Amino acid sequence: MAYSKGRDSLGPPKQRGRRRRIVHVFTEGKVTEPTYIEIIKARGTYADSATAVEVKIANQKAPGSQRKPLKLVEAAARLMQEEKRAAKRGRLKKEFWPQVWCLFDRDQHEHIETALKEAREADVRVAFSHPCFEVWRVLHHKPVTGMFNGVCDQVTARLPYAASAENIKIVLPGQIAHGSFEEAKRRARQMNAAHGDHVPLSNRDPYTDVFTFVEDGLGLVAY
């Protein structure tokens, strides 16, 4: 399965022989999410072995000022419009259309609900974590309980390798145990269920639905 960087077009998916699906990803973090994606794609089990999933980190070179949730969604929405037009011109079946995702956190960001609303309206998928992506990393090792009030450092401190990691932002293969996805997803669902449906995502502390990106975006069922 290919993993590529940058924003240049990968061309249309093939409809004969082995199929391929393109996934464009806008990440809030410059390092953490991309290294995580690279690791799980390399070792993952795919739901459909006949479809190659090619991942583009769409904002690889973007500065920090363009990595706020609303900025990510705005850029992703523009790209989604371009991809839709290209897919229609190429008369591609809808299942072959590229996907566009944003991965971002609550942290102390403003306009979270606006970003989520604009993403829905633009057919951009979002994987959201509160307070940060590290909640999903911790869930690979143990349940997450208690509120963090937007302080990611409190989550990071719960990582079993927090004290020894040279750079905690870089996800290393050894930090993700083989077969840990299913348990992480189960813990995430249990954690998320503590919040009522009436509670806005921006107020659900802690929360993560990164597993939806793993399954629906990357097409993985295990890693």
Side-chain angles (χ1 to χ4, degrees):
M1 297 296 173
Y3 172 86
S4 53
K5 300 179 180 180
R7 190 180 176 284
D8 295 339
S9 174
L10 286 171
K14 297 177 181 178
Q15 297 193 54
R16 294 183 180 179
R18 194 178 189 215
R19 302 180 300 272
R20 77 184 170 119
R21 181 164 56 79
I22 301 168
V23 180
H24 300 278
V25 187
F26 290 80
T27 65
E28 179 181 340
K30 293 183 179 180
V31 176
T32 307
E33 294 94 328
T35 53
Y36 164 76
I37 292 169
E38 190 167 9
I39 290 167
I40 67 171
K41 276 185 59 59
R43 68 164 63 156
T45 300
Y46 290 83
D48 180 5
S49 60
T51 300
V53 178
E54 300 191 45
V55 178
K56 296 282 287 183
I57 302 300
N59 65 329
Q60 181 200 9
K61 297 181 180 179
S65 62
Q66 298 301 309
R67 291 178 177 271
K68 307 299 183 184
L70 193 53
K71 291 290 187 180
L72 290 179
V73 169
E74 290 170 348
R78 289 193 293 270
L79 179 56
M80 188 72 250
Q81 286 184 334
E82 295 172 9
E83 293 292 350
K84 279 185 176 181
R85 285 195 293 266
K88 289 176 181 178
R89 284 197 303 269
R91 298 182 179 180
L92 297 176
K93 294 180 180 179
K94 208 156 189 179
E95 61 262 34
F96 297 130
W97 284 20
Q99 293 183 10
V100 180
W101 283 77
C102 288
L103 273 63
F104 59 78
D105 305 334
R106 177 64 180 91
D107 287 325
Q108 301 293 333
H109 296 308
E110 299 178 345
H111 312 302
I112 291 292
E113 292 299 331
T114 300
L116 293 169
K117 178 177 180 292
E118 291 190 6
R120 288 192 296 270
E121 292 173 348
D123 289 332
V124 170
R125 297 287 302 273
V126 174
F128 175 72
S129 299
H130 190 319
C132 58
F133 185 83
E134 275 62 38
V135 168
W136 176 239
R137 296 175 70 182
V138 173
L139 288 167
H140 285 72
H141 304 276
K142 55 188 175 183
V144 174
T145 58
M147 297 178 65
F148 299 98
N149 298 309
V151 182
C152 188
D153 287 349
Q154 294 181 13
V155 186
T156 303
R158 296 193 187 185
L159 291 167
Y161 42 83
S164 58
E166 185 174 339
N167 184 347
I168 199 66
K169 291 295 184 182
I170 299 175
V171 181
L172 301 176
Q175 296 170 355
I176 304 175
H178 284 276
S180 60
F181 171 66
E182 189 62 33
E183 186 63 14
K185 181 177 71 170
R186 184 192 66 78
R187 289 168 177 158
R189 284 177 166 167
Q190 184 177 41
M191 178 185 73
N192 296 345
H195 308 292
D197 292 340
H198 66 284
V199 180
L201 277 181
S202 58
N203 292 337
R204 298 181 189 184
D205 179 13
Y207 179 91
T208 187
D209 55 20
V210 173
F211 57 87
T212 63
F213 167 69
V214 175
E215 294 179 322
D216 300 341
L218 301 184
L220 296 175
V221 293
Y223 59 70

